[in-house]
Amino acid sequence: MHAITIPEPGGPEALVWAEVPDPVPGEGEVLVEVVASAVNRADVLQRQGFYDPPPGTSPHPGLECAGRITALGPGVSGWSVGDEVCALLVGGGYAQRVAVPAGQLLPVPKGVDLATAAALPEVACTVWSNVFMIAHLRPGETLLVHGGASGIGTMAIQLAKAVGAKVAVTAGSPEKLARCAELGADVLIDYRTQDFVEELRAATDGAGADVILDIMGAKYLDRNIQALAVNGRLVVIGLQGGVKGELNLGALLAKRAAVMATTLRARPLQEKAAIVAAVREHVWPLVEGGTIRPVVDRTLPMPEAAEAHRVLESGAHVGKVLLLAP
């Protein structure tokens, strides 16, 4: 088969479409013929040499895919050859075939075409696990989403609105904020020209956000604490603004607030399977009912993954960028 390889870390040109050995499904795994994958920030970090895949896993980038099952490994039940699925991956999505633990498979939601389904697993699992399973966002509370026009952001807006929360977002242009509003965002903050702490306080009568989903890390740490409501929960899922910041514990204590940081890729199989099962139970009915929809900015042929990475790094997209396998 062919896959995107990374012979040496570097810029987008480091991604090379090359012939590689076919994966073989192991115990509890299935083999999926990939129709589409999606580009995530973690793929960019892997290409740059900053985010190696866990030992013993696929060296190829790609944290999600959609396709058809072509073979079942030992011990797999509940799935059949020919089933159309999408999947959360530890890697290997930028390829024509990938071996997937059965616990990380999801059926393609009714009403969603197979290729578009590749836009769902990573964002749905990330948002549901962090905003709901960890931070316990409740109806009537306020969620602040940094990067509201990203793949994660577009899913977070829709899911939070679906459960009856108020949603504030930051984004870098009026056009992106308009797209966030179309998805249901209530408070629109241009981080280039506005202070999100002040804007959020004004929009919540001084209360602040009950939950903040943050992709920036150190750069936003202090202001995120300022923006939290009493009993607020800050969940850090990205480090685009650096890894080391100063935390005012006094401010945290005064608000009886919590700071949590998580990753998804390196979690044990059992934890990932539990998250996937929760997404199937809680999110998939919303997708099939039309309340949640995948947001796809554009699709490109998988051999042109370098261009897809350029798009992602430029920040010119809204939602997901997909790669179609030849």
Side-chain angles (χ1 to χ4, degrees):
M1 72 168 189
H2 279 75
I4 290 292
T5 63
I6 309 173
E8 295 289 339
E13 68 282 352
L15 301 174
V16 178
W17 184 248
E19 190 169 355
V20 299
D22 278 47
V24 177
E27 181 76 27
E29 294 183 333
V30 306
L31 187 66
V32 174
E33 181 180 18
V34 176
V35 169
S37 185
V39 181
N40 289 281
R41 185 67 57 177
D43 304 333
V44 173
L45 293 174
Q46 181 175 336
R47 187 205 76 215
Q48 294 171 335
F50 300 132
Y51 194 25
D52 291 336
T57 64
S58 172
H60 312 305
L63 298 181
E64 57 194 330
C65 75
R68 299 177 181 87
I69 295 176
T70 58
L72 305 177
V76 173
S77 61
W79 300 97
S80 301
V81 170
D83 285 348
E84 293 190 341
V85 297
C86 52
L88 180 70
L89 308 173
V90 72
Y94 291 18
Q96 292 179 308
R97 285 176 282 282
V98 64
V100 185
Q104 292 167 219
L105 294 173
L106 288 156
V108 173
K110 296 174 184 176
V112 178
D113 71 80
L114 182 55
T116 302
L120 288 170
E122 178 72 14
V123 293
C125 289
T126 297
V127 173
W128 189 262
S129 63
N130 285 287
V131 175
F132 298 94
M133 296 175 74
I134 292 175
H136 303 291
L137 181 71
R138 294 181 288 269
E141 290 191 323
T142 297
L143 169 69
L144 170 61
V145 182
H146 289 302
S150 66
I152 294 291
T154 54
M155 176 59 71
I157 293 168
Q158 295 181 83
L159 272 176
K161 293 300 294 183
V163 303
K166 182 176 183 177
V167 180
V169 298
T170 62
S173 72
E175 294 77 17
K176 286 188 174 183
L177 289 171
R179 293 292 300 277
C180 292
E182 291 172 5
L183 294 170
D186 303 287
V187 182
L188 309 173
I189 304 167
D190 187 332
Y191 67 79
R192 298 183 190 277
T193 61
Q194 296 174 295
D195 184 324
F196 71 80
V197 178
E198 294 180 0
E199 296 297 325
L200 190 63
R201 285 174 176 165
T204 59
D205 296 324
D210 300 287
V211 176
I212 299 177
L213 186 63
D214 178 54
I215 58 172
M216 294 302 294
K219 183 178 180 180
Y220 277 11
L221 181 59
D222 181 64
R223 286 198 291 158
N224 277 333
I225 300 302
Q226 294 177 44
L228 277 179
V230 173
N231 295 315
R233 291 85 75 196
L234 167 62
V235 187
V236 180
I237 61 169
L239 300 171
Q240 294 180 37
V243 300
K244 292 183 179 181
E246 186 170 298
L247 177 62
N248 184 337
L249 291 175
L252 202 65
L253 284 167
K255 293 186 174 183
R256 302 185 297 280
V259 178
M260 297 158 279
T262 75
T263 60
L264 185 57
R265 186 181 197 179
R267 292 194 188 201
L269 292 178
Q270 296 88 342
E271 289 187 23
K272 288 185 183 178
I275 291 168
V276 169
V279 165
R280 184 171 182 176
E281 178 183 355
H282 298 286
V283 181
W284 254 222
L286 298 173
V287 176
E288 295 183 341
T291 301
I292 304 290
R293 61 182 178 86
V295 179
V296 176
D297 188 275
R298 68 193 74 185
T299 60
L300 292 164
M302 193 171 285
E304 297 178 21
E307 179 59 26
H309 276 222
R310 292 186 186 99
V311 170
L312 196 76
E313 291 181 276
S314 74
H317 64 295
V318 174
K320 303 286 286 190
V321 178
L322 299 186
L323 297 171
L324 302 182

